[in-house]
């Protein structure tokens, strides 16, 4: 059984930083492109970043480009999202997801496995 578990969320002041982690079990992480998404109440799930199977390429949404950095350690079956210069509008539940392809997608429907999410709250 595949398990995806996000951690590292919490409460932070605007301008601060958080590092999210996503630990995956039940699959070999280097067979999957990985992505980070977020969702706020009443809003659609938003794709933030995606990284290729090997970690050789990555992409970011305009909302987070220059502030967030995605990385992966396949040997540890772990995905990371370093979030800097956080803003109140970054407040959301953050989700980790796995896609059974080499490269990234911006569509949540193309990801096969999802975690339960971790709450990030940014105060003004």
């Amino acid at each position: 059984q595949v398990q995806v578990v996000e951690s590292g969320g919490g409460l932070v002041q605007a301008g601060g930083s958080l590092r999210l982690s996503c630990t995956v079990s039940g699959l070999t992480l280097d067979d999957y492109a990985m992505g980070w998404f977020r969702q706020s109440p009443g809003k659609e799930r938003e794709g933030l970043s995606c990284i290729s199977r090997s970690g050789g390429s990555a992409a970011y949404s305009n909302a987070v480009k220059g502030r967030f950095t995605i990385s992966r350690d396949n040997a540890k079956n772990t995905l990371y999202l370093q979030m800097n210069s956080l803003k109140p509008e970054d407040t959301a539940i953050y989700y980790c997801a796995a896609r059974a392809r080499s490269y990234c997608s911006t569509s949540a429907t193309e990801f096969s496995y999802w975690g339960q999410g971790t709450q990030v709250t940014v105060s003004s």
Side-chain angles (χ1 to χ4, degrees):
Q1 184 177 17
V2 175
Q3 291 184 297
V4 181
V5 181
E6 302 94 338
S7 62
L11 175 64
V12 64
Q13 292 188 25
S17 299
L18 285 173
R19 189 192 193 199
L20 305 183
S21 297
C22 171
T23 301
V24 182
S25 62
L27 56 79
T28 301
L29 197 64
D30 61 7
D31 289 337
Y32 294 81
M34 300 292 295
W36 284 101
F37 296 77
R38 69 185 179 191
Q39 189 165 22
S40 300
K43 297 183 179 180
E44 296 293 322
R45 188 162 296 190
E46 176 188 8
L48 303 178
S49 184
C50 188
I51 188 167
S52 63
R53 293 194 306 176
S54 67
S57 63
Y60 301 89
S61 70
N62 289 335
V64 306
K65 189 174 183 179
R67 299 188 297 122
F68 292 9
T69 303
I70 191 171
S71 62
R72 64 193 297 163
D73 187 337
N74 289 345
K76 296 181 179 180
N77 272 32
T78 302
L79 178 75
Y80 303 97
L81 186 67
Q82 178 66 46
M83 306 187 295
N84 298 326
S85 301
L86 284 162
K87 306 173 182 179
E89 52 263 44
D90 294 320
T91 296
I93 300 174
Y94 283 69
Y95 297 92
C96 170
R99 181 178 188 243
R101 295 290 188 272
S102 296
Y103 298 106
C104 295
S105 172
T106 59
S107 175
T109 62
E110 296 184 14
F111 287 77
S112 300
Y113 303 104
W114 293 82
Q116 294 299 309
T118 185
Q119 177 71 47
V120 172
T121 302
V122 184
S123 62
S124 60

